[in-house]
Amino acid sequence: MRRWTPVVLAALLGAGPVQAAGAASTPAAAAMEARSGFAAFVAALRPDAEARGVTPRTFSAAFAGISGPDPDILARTRKQGEFGRPVWDYLVGAVSAGRIARGQAQARRLAPVLARIEARYGVPRWIVLAFWGVESDFGASAGSVPTIRALATLAEAKFRGALFRDELLAALTILERGDVTPERMKGSWAGAMGQVQFLPSSFLAHAVDFDGDGHRDIWGSETDALASIAAYLKALGWNPGLSWGYEVILPPGFDLARYRGNLADFAQRGVRRADGEALPGAGLGSLFLPGGLGGPVFLITDNFEVVRAYNTSDSYALAVGHLADRLAGGPVLAAPWPVRDARLDKAGLQALQSGLAGRGLYAGEGDGRAGPKLREAVRQYQIAEGLPADGYATPALLDHLRRRP
Ligand code: CA
């Protein structure tokens, strides 16, 4: 089960059908219509919840005091998402000096429990702390929106099909198990809960009670929150022997067409870590140039894909990886980011996706999102055309494609 931060969700939801509150002629009539539609939605939900073992008592307690959808949440879903922010802008906020200092203080304070979590799940403390920092600023911003109402609002509006209705049923199951009370079950407007911002289905699959009090408490227990992050990453396939990746310096004349292989082979081809340390002798890596050839170059491992699986965004994964390195005392990025933002906008990305699909190079969705599939297709095109294969989707590349018959 994948999960999304509000940033990603806003982009996803923005593309979906928006159900208006009806054709009522006055605001008061519209509000009344919304409430009666909501009541019908809750009534229809009840038998499905009971089929999952949710008792009438738990169900009633969960919906006590919730008489209609949350208009603020519906408004949020209609806003344009921030998915289009360049990675360098995202990193400035996600890996700030203040956050690094706060994270290092947490690392000292929580050293014993972090050591136990490392030993149990094989995920380095710096990675666990970085997730915690990016998701909730180390628990300080876990979100104050009641989860049941948030999910019910999104589910009734049928955003993302049945996704939020399923998440709502999962949330009711959590309440039935007694891990948390409805009053304390809070998080983001998009239903991501607690200090780790798990959607309920992720909670059911991966949250753990690591402090041993009998409750999986990602809201109030730092120990449970940190261990739940590590348990989730382990389940996603985190390889304990590998970093997420490294910033690297390419030698002059490096052949970008050979962008994937053994880390040892990269070292042999003259690729050096930017921090001066040696690349490990084992493991696979691939080059990632999120700002194109003019910006920082990363050699990422399968663990980068594990981070991306936690949250499907390149910017997010890079922020977690880099924050982890900085918390561990690593240096700032060596290479500067591009001065000019030369990325394609959404319409441009869709045109590129369609052009590359027409050439049999791209088989993903025409969703206007840059990700690993589009990067791969761009590289194949660049290689075929004798261009430097940085996988970076720019207006110049789209022009190049359009000039080809
Ligand atoms: Ca606990």
Side-chain angles (χ1 to χ4, degrees), residues 208-217 221 224:
V208 294
D209 169 26
F210 204 71
D211 63 13
D213 73 346
H215 300 285
R216 299 186 287 178
D217 184 3
S221 165
D224 285 3

